[in-house]
Amino acid sequence: KQVIDGGSTRFDVNDECQGDAASTGAKIYIVGDSLTVGMRDKGDLNSKLQEKGWNASKIQATNGYNISDSLPKIDEDANVIEESDTILIALGTNPEVNFEQKIPEIITKIKNMAPDAKIYWMNVHVKDGAYIDPSFLGNDGVNRLIESKSEDLGYTVLDWATEVSNNANKYPYLEDGVHHTDSGYSERAKWLVDELGEAPPTSSTSPSTSVDTGAPQTN
């Protein structure tokens, strides 16, 4: 219970912290759930992005969130998204009704804000027997839906499911089978940044970083 509560609490304190980014590269906005919280807070995601020249305009991640939960956050972040060159979505592990219909809803919303931005979607993977909501469609079910919409909606799928399946020992999980150890999050974040590659240059000379801390409550 301690492991599960510590790794998958559904409550968050979403404070923002501002700081000067070392990079003058393209701005990337990331929206995700607790797995993105882990990459951000335990896997040094922002530092790894900066090493590749990315300016993380915001890493918006909240434990337990699905697409429906994230849509209001995207509305709140409209000004940040409008200025972003790249958008990364990392959602789908937390179940929701009408997941298939929610995919075009979030993509359309983002495209209305940032029509020229490159959009990526990182697909999902949990271990067999994972402690997860029984309404979860399963890795294959969720990922088929993500993939099936990609061409029509114009986003690129980052195939995390294949990577972690082929290299399971590289990304150790906690006992819940959903979340990773600190080293697992670090390797996951490295893989993600390697998939994104070097950031394209931008004319911006004074970027800033806005990071949702996503610190979970302990009670």
Side-chain angles (χ1 to χ4, degrees), residues 23-27 52-54 85 198-204:
S23 167
T24 57
K27 294 182 179 180
K52 292 284 189 178
W54 291 98
D85 306 286
E198 296 286 341
T202 179
S203 59
S204 175

Side-chain angles (χ1 to χ4, degrees), residues 124-126 136-147 161 165:
V124 307
H125 182 272
V126 302
F136 177 60
L137 297 175
N139 297 320
D140 290 344
V142 171
N143 292 337
R144 276 197 300 268
L145 291 175
I146 292 172
E147 182 66 39
S165 296

